[in-house]
Coordinates of all heavy atoms in Angstrom, one line a residue:
K1009 N 62.5 106.1 110.4 CA 62.7 105.2 111.5 C 63.4 104.0 111.1 O 63.5 102.9 111.8 CB 61.2 104.8 111.9 CG 60.4 105.9 112.5 CD 59.1 105.5 113.0 CE 58.3 106.6 113.6 NZ 56.9 106.1 114.0
R1010 N 64.1 104.0 109.9 CA 64.9 102.9 109.3 C 63.8 101.6 109.1 O 64.4 100.6 109.2 CB 66.1 102.5 110.2 CG 67.1 103.7 110.2 CD 68.3 103.3 111.1 NE 68.8 102.0 110.6 CZ 69.1 101.1 111.5 NH1 68.7 101.2 112.8 NH2 69.7 99.9 111.1
E1011 N 62.6 101.9 108.9 CA 61.7 100.8 108.6 C 61.6 100.7 107.1 O 61.7 101.7 106.4 CB 60.4 101.0 109.2 CG 60.4 100.9 110.7 CD 59.0 101.2 111.4 OE1 58.1 101.7 110.7 OE2 58.9 100.9 112.6
L1012 N 61.4 99.5 106.5 CA 61.3 99.2 105.2 C 60.1 99.8 104.6 O 58.9 99.7 105.1 CB 61.4 97.8 104.8 CG 62.7 97.1 104.9 CD1 62.6 95.6 104.8 CD2 63.7 97.7 104.0
S1013 N 60.1 100.4 103.3 CA 58.8 100.7 102.5 C 59.2 100.4 101.1 O 60.3 100.2 100.8 CB 58.6 102.3 102.7 OG 59.6 103.1 102.2
R1014 N 58.1 100.3 100.4 CA 58.2 100.0 99.0 C 57.8 101.2 98.2 O 56.9 101.8 98.3 CB 57.3 98.7 98.6 CG 57.8 97.5 99.3 CD 56.8 96.3 98.9 NE 57.3 95.0 99.5 CZ 56.7 93.8 99.2 NH1 55.7 93.9 98.3 NH2 57.1 92.8 99.8
L1015 N 58.6 101.4 97.0 CA 58.2 102.3 96.1 C 58.0 101.9 94.7 O 58.8 101.1 94.2 CB 59.4 103.4 96.0 CG 59.9 104.1 97.3 CD1 61.1 105.0 97.0 CD2 58.7 104.9 97.9
L1016 N 56.9 102.1 94.2 CA 56.5 101.7 92.9 C 57.4 102.3 91.9 O 57.7 103.5 92.0 CB 55.1 102.0 92.6 CG 54.5 101.4 91.3 CD1 54.3 99.8 91.5 CD2 53.0 102.0 91.1
V1017 N 57.9 101.6 90.9 CA 58.8 102.1 90.0 C 58.2 102.2 88.5 O 57.7 101.2 88.0 CB 60.1 101.1 89.7 CG1 61.1 101.6 88.7 CG2 60.7 100.9 91.1
A1018 N 58.3 103.4 87.8 CA 57.6 103.6 86.6 C 58.5 103.0 85.5 O 59.7 102.7 85.6 CB 57.4 105.1 86.3
Q1019 N 57.9 102.8 84.3 CA 58.5 102.0 83.2 C 59.8 102.7 82.7 O 60.8 102.0 82.4 CB 57.6 101.8 82.1 CG 58.2 101.2 80.8 CD 58.6 99.7 81.1 OE1 58.0 99.1 82.1 NE2 59.4 99.2 80.3
P1020 N 59.9 104.0 82.6 CA 61.2 104.7 82.2 C 62.4 104.3 83.0 O 63.5 104.1 82.5 CB 60.8 106.1 82.4 CG 59.3 106.3 82.1 CD 58.9 105.1 82.7
M1021 N 62.1 104.1 84.3 CA 63.2 103.7 85.1 C 63.7 102.3 84.9 O 64.9 101.9 85.0 CB 62.9 103.8 86.6 CG 62.8 105.3 87.2 SD 64.6 106.1 87.2 CE 64.5 106.8 85.5
I1022 N 62.8 101.4 84.4 CA 63.1 100.0 84.2 C 63.8 100.0 82.9 O 64.9 99.4 82.7 CB 61.8 99.2 83.8 CG1 61.1 99.1 85.3 CG2 62.2 97.7 83.3 CD1 61.8 98.5 86.3
E1023 N 63.5 101.0 81.7 CA 64.3 101.0 80.5 C 65.6 101.7 80.7 O 66.6 101.3 80.1 CB 63.4 101.9 79.7 CG 62.1 101.3 79.2 CD 61.3 102.3 78.3 OE1 61.9 103.1 77.6 OE2 60.2 102.0 78.3
S1024 N 65.8 102.6 81.8 CA 67.0 103.2 82.1 C 67.9 102.2 82.6 O 69.1 102.1 82.3 CB 66.8 104.3 83.0 OG 68.0 105.2 83.0
A1025 N 67.4 101.3 83.5 CA 68.2 100.2 84.2 C 68.7 99.3 83.2 O 69.8 98.8 83.2 CB 67.5 99.6 85.3
E1026 N 67.8 98.9 82.2 CA 68.2 97.9 81.3 C 69.2 98.6 80.3 O 70.2 97.9 79.9 CB 66.9 97.6 80.4 CG 66.0 96.8 81.1 CD 64.8 96.5 80.3 OE1 64.2 97.4 79.6 OE2 64.1 95.4 80.5
E1027 N 69.1 99.9 80.0 CA 70.2 100.5 79.2 C 71.5 100.5 80.0 O 72.6 100.3 79.3 CB 69.7 102.0 79.0 CG 70.7 102.8 77.9 CD 71.7 103.4 78.7 OE1 71.5 104.0 79.7 OE2 72.9 103.4 78.1
R1028 N 71.6 100.8 81.2 CA 72.7 100.8 82.0 C 73.4 99.5 82.2 O 74.6 99.3 82.1 CB 72.5 101.4 83.4 CG 72.2 102.9 83.5 CD 73.5 103.8 83.1 NE 73.6 103.9 81.6 CZ 74.8 104.3 81.1 NH1 75.9 104.6 81.8 NH2 74.9 104.3 79.8
R1029 N 72.5 98.5 82.2 CA 73.1 97.1 82.3 C 73.6 96.8 81.1 O 74.7 96.1 80.9 CB 71.9 96.1 82.7 CG 72.4 94.7 82.8 CD 71.3 93.8 83.3 NE 70.1 93.7 82.3 CZ 69.0 93.1 82.5 NH1 68.8 92.3 83.6 NH2 68.0 93.1 81.7
A1030 N 73.0 97.1 79.9 CA 73.5 96.7 78.7 C 74.9 97.3 78.3 O 75.8 96.7 77.7 CB 72.5 97.1 77.6
F1031 N 75.1 98.7 78.7 CA 76.3 99.2 78.6 C 77.4 98.6 79.5 O 78.5 98.3 79.0 CB 76.3 100.8 79.1 CG 77.5 101.4 79.0 CD1 78.4 101.5 77.8 CD2 78.2 102.0 80.2 CE1 79.5 102.2 77.7 CE2 79.4 102.7 80.0 CZ 80.0 102.8 78.9
W1032 N 77.1 98.2 80.7 CA 78.0 97.5 81.6 C 78.4 96.2 80.8 O 79.5 95.7 80.9 CB 77.5 97.2 82.9 CG 78.3 96.2 83.8 CD1 77.9 95.1 84.2 CD2 79.5 96.6 84.2 NE1 78.9 94.4 84.9 CE2 79.9 95.4 84.9 CE3 80.4 97.6 84.1 CZ2 81.3 95.3 85.5 CZ3 81.7 97.5 84.6 CH2 82.1 96.3 85.5
L1033 N 77.5 95.3 80.3 CA 77.7 94.1 79.7 C 78.6 94.3 78.4 O 79.5 93.5 78.3 CB 76.3 93.4 79.3 CG 75.4 92.9 80.4 CD1 74.1 92.3 79.9 CD2 76.2 91.9 81.3
M1034 N 78.5 95.4 77.7 CA 79.3 95.7 76.6 C 80.7 96.0 77.1 O 81.6 95.3 76.5 CB 78.7 96.9 75.9 CG 79.6 97.3 74.7 SD 79.0 98.8 73.9 CE 77.4 98.3 73.3
L1035 N 80.9 96.8 78.2 CA 82.1 97.0 78.7 C 82.8 95.7 79.2 O 84.0 95.5 78.9 CB 82.1 97.9 79.9 CG 82.1 99.6 79.5 CD1 82.0 100.3 80.9 CD2 83.2 100.0 78.8
R1036 N 82.2 94.9 79.9 CA 82.6 93.7 80.5 C 83.1 92.8 79.3 O 84.1 92.2 79.5 CB 81.5 93.0 81.3 CG 82.1 92.1 82.4 CD 80.9 91.6 83.3 NE 80.0 90.8 82.7 CZ 79.0 90.4 83.3 NH1 78.7 90.6 84.5 NH2 78.1 89.6 82.7
D1037 N 82.3 92.7 78.3 CA 82.7 91.8 77.1 C 83.9 92.4 76.5 O 84.9 91.6 76.2 CB 81.5 91.8 76.2 CG 81.8 90.8 75.0 OD1 82.1 89.7 75.1 OD2 81.9 91.4 73.9
L1038 N 84.1 93.7 76.2 CA 85.1 94.3 75.7 C 86.4 94.1 76.6 O 87.6 93.9 76.0 CB 85.1 95.8 75.5 CG 84.0 96.1 74.4 CD1 83.8 97.7 74.4 CD2 84.4 95.7 73.0
G1039 N 86.3 94.1 77.9 CA 87.3 94.0 78.9 C 87.7 92.6 79.1 O 88.6 92.3 79.9
G1040 N 86.9 91.6 78.6 CA 87.2 90.1 78.8 C 86.9 89.7 80.2 O 87.4 88.5 80.6
I1041 N 85.9 90.3 80.9 CA 85.4 89.7 82.2 C 84.4 88.7 82.0 O 83.4 89.1 81.3 CB 85.0 90.9 83.1 CG1 86.2 91.8 83.3 CG2 84.5 90.5 84.4 CD1 85.9 93.1 84.2
K1042 N 84.4 87.6 82.6 CA 83.6 86.5 82.5 C 82.4 86.7 83.6 O 82.7 87.3 84.6 CB 84.1 85.2 82.4 CG 85.1 85.0 81.2 CD 85.7 83.6 81.2 CE 86.7 83.4 80.1 NZ 87.4 82.1 80.2
E1043 N 81.3 86.0 83.3 CA 80.3 86.1 84.4 C 80.7 85.4 85.7 O 81.7 84.4 85.6 CB 79.0 85.4 83.9 CG 78.2 86.3 82.8 CD 77.0 85.7 82.5 OE1 76.3 85.1 83.4 OE2 76.6 85.9 81.4
A1044 N 80.0 85.6 86.7 CA 80.4 84.9 88.0 C 80.3 83.5 87.9 O 79.4 82.9 87.2 CB 79.5 85.4 89.2
V1045 N 81.2 82.8 88.5 CA 81.2 81.3 88.4 C 80.8 80.8 90.0 O 80.9 81.6 90.9 CB 82.5 80.6 88.1 CG1 83.0 81.1 86.7 CG2 83.7 81.2 89.0
A1046 N 80.5 79.5 90.1 CA 80.0 79.0 91.3 C 81.2 79.0 92.2 O 82.4 79.0 92.0 CB 79.7 77.6 91.1
D1047 N 80.8 79.3 93.6 CA 82.0 79.4 94.5 C 82.8 78.2 94.7 O 82.2 77.1 94.5 CB 81.3 79.7 95.9 CG 80.7 81.2 95.9 OD1 81.1 82.0 95.1 OD2 79.8 81.4 96.8
V1048 N 84.0 78.4 95.1 CA 84.9 77.1 95.3 C 84.2 76.4 96.5 O 83.8 76.9 97.5 CB 86.4 77.6 95.6 CG1 87.2 76.4 95.9 CG2 86.9 78.5 94.5
D1049 N 84.5 75.0 96.4 CA 83.9 74.1 97.5 C 84.5 74.7 98.9 O 85.6 74.8 99.1 CB 84.5 72.8 97.2 CG 83.7 71.7 98.1 OD1 83.7 71.9 99.3 OD2 83.2 70.8 97.5
E1050 N 83.6 74.9 99.8 CA 84.0 75.4 101.1 C 84.8 74.4 101.9 O 85.8 74.9 102.6 CB 82.6 75.7 102.0 CG 81.8 76.8 101.3 CD 80.7 77.1 102.3 OE1 80.6 76.4 103.4 OE2 79.9 78.0 102.0
V1051 N 84.7 73.1 101.6 CA 85.6 72.1 102.2 C 87.0 72.3 101.8 O 88.0 72.3 102.7 CB 85.1 70.7 102.0 CG1 86.1 69.8 102.5 CG2 83.6 70.5 102.5
Q1052 N 87.2 72.6 100.5 CA 88.6 72.8 100.0 C 89.2 74.2 100.6 O 90.3 74.1 101.0 CB 88.5 72.9 98.6 CG 88.1 71.7 97.8 CD 88.1 71.9 96.4 OE1 88.1 72.9 95.8 NE2 87.9 70.8 95.5
I1053 N 88.4 75.1 100.7 CA 88.8 76.4 101.2 C 89.2 76.2 102.7 O 90.3 76.5 103.1 CB 87.8 77.5 101.2 CG1 87.5 77.8 99.7 CG2 88.2 78.7 101.9 CD1 86.4 78.7 99.5
E1054 N 88.4 75.4 103.5 CA 88.6 75.3 104.9 C 89.9 74.5 105.0 O 90.8 74.6 105.9 CB 87.4 74.4 105.6 CG 87.6 74.4 107.0 CD 86.4 73.6 107.6 OE1 85.3 74.0 107.3 OE2 86.6 72.7 108.5
S1055 N 90.1 73.5 104.2 CA 91.3 72.6 104.2 C 92.5 73.4 103.9 O 93.5 73.3 104.7 CB 91.2 71.5 103.3 OG 92.4 70.7 103.3
R1056 N 92.4 74.3 102.9 CA 93.7 75.2 102.5 C 94.0 76.1 103.7 O 95.2 76.2 104.0 CB 93.3 75.9 101.3 CG 94.5 76.7 100.8 CD 94.4 77.1 99.4 NE 93.3 77.9 99.1 CZ 92.2 77.5 98.4 NH1 92.2 76.3 97.8 NH2 91.1 78.3 98.2
V1057 N 93.0 76.7 104.3 CA 93.2 77.7 105.4 C 93.8 76.9 106.5 O 94.8 77.4 107.2 CB 91.9 78.2 105.9 CG1 92.1 79.1 107.2 CG2 91.3 79.2 104.7
R1058 N 93.3 75.7 106.9 CA 93.8 75.0 107.9 C 95.3 74.6 107.7 O 96.2 74.7 108.7 CB 93.0 73.7 108.1 CG 93.4 72.9 109.5 CD 92.8 71.7 109.6 NE 91.3 71.8 109.7 CZ 90.4 71.4 108.6 NH1 91.0 70.6 107.7 NH2 89.2 71.7 108.7
Q1059 N 95.6 74.2 106.4 CA 97.0 73.9 106.2 C 98.0 75.1 106.3 O 99.1 75.0 106.9 CB 97.1 73.5 104.7 CG 98.5 73.0 104.2 CD 98.5 72.6 102.8 OE1 97.4 72.7 102.0 NE2 99.6 72.0 102.3
E1060 N 97.4 76.4 105.9 CA 98.1 77.5 106.0 C 98.5 77.8 107.5 O 99.6 78.3 107.8 CB 97.6 78.6 105.3 CG 97.6 78.6 103.8 CD 96.6 79.3 103.1 OE1 95.8 80.1 103.7 OE2 96.6 79.4 101.8
V1061 N 97.5 77.6 108.3 CA 97.6 77.9 109.7 C 98.6 77.0 110.2 O 99.5 77.4 111.1 CB 96.3 77.8 110.4 CG1 96.5 77.9 112.0 CG2 95.4 78.8 110.1
V1062 N 98.6 75.9 109.8 CA 99.6 74.8 110.4 C 101.0 75.2 110.0 O 102.0 75.1 110.8 CB 99.3 73.3 109.8 CG1 100.4 72.4 110.1 CG2 98.0 72.8 110.3
Q1063 N 101.2 75.7 108.7 CA 102.5 76.3 108.4 C 102.9 77.3 109.2 O 104.1 77.4 109.6 CB 102.5 76.7 106.9 CG 102.1 75.5 105.9 CD 102.1 76.1 104.4 OE1 101.8 77.4 104.3 NE2 102.0 75.2 103.5
K1064 N 102.0 78.2 109.5 CA 102.4 79.3 110.4 C 102.7 78.9 111.9 O 103.8 79.4 112.3 CB 101.1 80.3 110.5 CG 101.3 81.4 111.5 CD 102.3 82.3 111.1 CE 102.6 83.5 112.1 NZ 103.8 84.4 111.7
L1065 N 102.0 78.0 112.4 CA 102.3 77.6 113.8 C 103.7 76.8 113.7 O 104.5 77.0 114.6 CB 101.2 76.7 114.4 CG 99.9 77.4 114.6 CD1 98.8 76.3 115.0 CD2 100.1 78.4 115.6
A1066 N 103.8 76.0 112.6 CA 105.1 75.3 112.6 C 106.3 76.2 112.4 O 107.4 76.1 113.1 CB 105.2 74.4 111.3
S1067 N 106.2 77.3 111.7 CA 107.2 78.2 111.5 C 107.5 78.9 112.9 O 108.6 79.2 113.3 CB 106.9 79.3 110.5 OG 107.9 80.3 110.5

Side-chain angles (χ1 to χ4, degrees):
K1009 298 179 181 179
R1010 294 180 54 234
E1011 294 180 347
L1012 287 176
S1013 61
R1014 292 182 180 183
L1015 300 179
L1016 188 66
V1017 179
Q1019 182 61 24
M1021 285 295 90
I1022 298 299
E1023 294 177 26
S1024 197
E1026 289 174 328
E1027 186 273 321
R1028 289 292 80 198
R1029 179 176 62 181
F1031 176 57
W1032 170 247
L1033 292 176
M1034 180 186 292
L1035 277 183
R1036 201 170 70 183
D1037 181 62
L1038 291 172
I1041 296 178
K1042 298 179 180 179
E1043 289 189 34
V1045 296
D1047 292 339
V1048 178
D1049 191 308
E1050 291 185 7
V1051 174
Q1052 294 179 352
I1053 296 175
E1054 184 175 317
S1055 174
R1056 183 163 61 247
V1057 173
R1058 188 184 302 117
Q1059 182 181 11
E1060 290 165 355
V1061 173
V1062 168
Q1063 292 175 350
K1064 172 64 179 177
L1065 291 178
S1067 177

